[in-house]
Amino acid sequence: MTAIYSSAALKTKQREVKDVARKDVVHITENGNAAFVLLSEELYERNLRDAAERAAYEERVRACIRNGRSDIAEGRVVEGMMALDAALEARHHHG
């Protein structure tokens, strides 16, 4: 569940807010409106690392799709299992 505290809680419940921020993102409100987020340095670094890994994965998937579309457009395809087996066999014998 998302932790939400008022900005006043930073003063009155400082220990509680910090304890939660060590484990999860804490949302801080001002006058009932979203204003800030608070999280530990370790959690911040982990979130950055996870985001970078997701972005790299997404780029690899995009590259595979681009390459696949290029292969199709240039006729580098086989249809059916027998054609695939023959293509792999030919590739194996020709290095």
Side-chain angles (χ1 to χ4, degrees):
M1 189 166 135
T2 302
I4 302 173
Y5 290 91
S6 69
S7 57
L10 293 174
K11 185 173 184 177
T12 61
K13 297 181 179 182
Q14 189 178 73
R15 174 60 46 208
E16 179 182 333
V17 173
K18 285 180 177 180
D19 287 345
V20 173
R22 284 185 178 85
K23 298 178 224 151
D24 201 359
V25 175
V26 174
H27 297 266
I28 306 295
T29 62
E30 283 186 339
N31 301 318
N33 298 311
F36 304 96
V37 293
L38 176 70
L39 63 158
S40 70
E41 185 73 24
E42 179 182 336
L43 188 55
Y44 175 74
E45 292 294 332
R46 186 177 343 139
N47 285 347
L48 280 180
R49 187 176 55 252
D50 290 350
E53 288 173 5
R54 281 191 308 273
Y57 172 78
E58 289 172 8
E59 184 50 39
R60 288 191 303 273
V61 169
R62 282 189 200 93
C64 288
I65 292 169
R66 281 192 305 271
N67 292 340
R69 287 179 176 160
S70 174
D71 287 342
I72 291 168
E74 296 177 21
R76 292 187 302 262
V77 297
V78 294
E79 293 185 29
M81 289 304 295
M82 290 175 59
L84 175 61
D85 288 341
L88 290 174
E89 186 69 25
R91 185 180 251 183
H92 177 71
H93 286 305
H94 295 287

